[in-house]
Amino acid sequence: MADDKGISRRSFAVGAAGLAALPAAATAKPPKPAPIPIGKPFILTTWNFGPSANAVGWPMLAGGASSIDTVEAAINHVEEFGDYWVGADGVPNEVGETTLDAMILWGPTHDIGAVGCLKRVRRAISVARKVMEETQHTLIVGDDATRFAARMGFTETSLTGPKSQAAFAKWAATHSKSDAFGPEPRGQSDTLRAHDTVGCIALDAAGNLCVGCSTNGREFKIPGRVGDSPIPGAGAYGDQAVGGAVATGNGDVMMRFLPTYHAVELMRGGMHPQAAAEAALRRIADAGYSIGGGIAVIRRDGVHGAAKTGWDEVPFDYSVQTASGNVTVPVA
Ligand code: SD4
């Protein structure tokens, strides 16, 4: 049998007498491989709100906070940031209403909480956390998610604001129905170019992983639509022993391939995070879809990577903060 260097294992075997004849350096035990540094605190957040979200989360992590408190606070920051693509006063649906999708995953227990098509409640990630911590359920949707949030003490309020109203008024003047009634994107170029779902992955000083994401989804979506963000393995995924991944882009297609689950499982098999991100998106392209999308991946030792597809002109980036500072990585 030959190994990958073409050396025959049989010819490499030597008897005790042969060993005695070898110089000491040749008989010394090979050094143990350096241990992978684990438990290193980090926070990764996608898109251009990465630096400010990390600036909220990093002092918490550095002060010993848990990764779940950190991810929730960092995403709450983005939900309240005023971005059109996350939180209130953003992306209206086909009838002008803004609805939210979010998910959170806690590494030590692999417990997950999520909300889909959440109406009239801000801070969807916090409602998702309540689903995780207060119930045996994983995903609660629509008006019932709103009722659940009210039971958990959240205030009901309108998610409509000047930005969502203006976008809806402009669109309503030119269209009669959602473009989601159009032909399937497979085999043709995706027209959905603008996105901004926030994804966040943190590992705390205790070595506990948390992954979360939040979005208001796709513009002018059909009422009731739930995207990839609250679907485990689609919008986000993590594994306490491996690392995490978060996705953004055309969730209607991306959720058909569970790209974040795919990337994490590839990393579990030993693939580098960069290669895992690329492979997860390549699977979608290989199936005939040329959509706009991106994925950011981080291994629990802090090694990260990302990939995008169909976004040549879209500056997708992500930011990672550790004790050495914050780095923002443009995704090529
Ligand atoms: C969705 N994936 O609901 C989300 C949208 C998105 O960046 O990522 N925007 O399809």
Side-chain angles (χ1 to χ4, degrees):
M1 184 197 293
D3 67 12
D4 59 359
K5 294 184 185 66
I7 300 169
S8 154
R9 294 194 196 285
R10 185 181 296 271
S11 67
F12 201 67
V14 286
L19 275 177
L22 290 171
T27 57
K29 277 191 181 167
K32 278 191 184 164
I36 295 174
I38 58 169
K40 182 179 177 191
F42 61 70
I43 177 169
L44 176 156
T45 308
T46 53
W47 290 108
N48 61 345
F49 22 65
S52 68
N54 288 356
V56 168
W58 176 253
M60 295 177 65
L61 280 181
S66 70
S67 55
I68 189 165
D69 287 345
T70 302
V71 166
E72 182 183 13
I75 292 184
N76 279 161
H77 165 77
V78 181
E79 289 173 331
E80 297 294 342
F81 189 80
D83 185 84
Y84 178 67
W85 300 96
V86 179
D89 190 18
V91 171
N93 67 9
E94 196 187 22
V95 295
E97 184 174 19
T98 297
T99 62
L100 310 177
D101 295 342
M103 170 173 53
I104 197 158
L105 176 151
W106 176 231
T109 56
H110 206 80
D111 199 356
I112 298 176
V115 285
C117 198
L118 174 69
K119 303 176 178 192
R120 303 182 303 281
V121 181
R122 303 172 78 94
R123 301 190 170 213
I125 193 72
S126 298
V127 184
R129 182 172 178 177
K130 288 290 184 197
V131 173
M132 186 182 91
E133 291 183 338
E134 302 296 331
T135 81
Q136 296 179 359
H137 296 319
T138 297
L139 172 61
I140 300 181
V141 302
D143 279 317
D144 288 319
T146 311
R147 278 188 275 277
F148 169 78
R151 282 175 79 179
M152 294 295 117
F154 290 81
T155 306
E156 211 174 311
T157 180
S158 171
L159 300 184
T160 298
K163 282 201 294 276
S164 62
Q165 268 175 334
F168 180 67
K170 195 168 162 207
W171 175 79
T174 55
H175 293 78
S176 57
K177 60 182 185 178
S178 171
D179 63 358
F181 283 110
E184 268 296 313
R186 187 166 181 275
Q188 50 182 315
S189 183
D190 184 8
T191 50
L192 304 172
R193 289 289 168 220
H195 293 283
D196 256 22
T197 293
V198 59
C200 183
I201 308 169
L203 188 83
D204 60 31
N208 293 325
L209 181 83
C210 181
V211 181
C213 62
S214 180
T215 188
N216 44 30
R218 170 174 171 171
E219 266 186 316
F220 317 124
K221 57 195 176 185
I222 298 166
R225 182 260 194 189
V226 174
D228 58 329
S229 297
I231 309 299
Y237 195 67
D239 186 293
Q240 173 72 1
V242 180
V246 286
T248 179
N250 185 334
D252 289 304
V253 169
M254 292 177 85
M255 74 163 92
R256 300 172 189 177
F257 295 87
L258 299 182
T260 56
Y261 176 78
H262 187 184
V264 169
E265 290 307 303
L266 290 173
M267 282 201 293
R268 188 197 304 284
M271 193 179 277
H272 188 279
Q274 178 62 35
E278 289 170 10
L281 290 188
R282 199 175 320 116
R283 167 82 51 91
I284 300 173
D286 286 350
Y289 290 95
S290 70
I291 57 158
I295 180 168
V297 180
I298 189 161
R299 213 163 58 190
R300 61 170 291 129
D301 64 355
V303 176
H304 47 86
K308 66 177 185 179
T309 179
W311 275 348
D312 295 343
E313 73 293 1
V314 177
F316 173 49
D317 55 25
Y318 68 99
S319 302
V320 182
Q321 185 147 6
T322 64
S324 335
N326 187 78
V327 51
T328 294
V329 184
V331 181

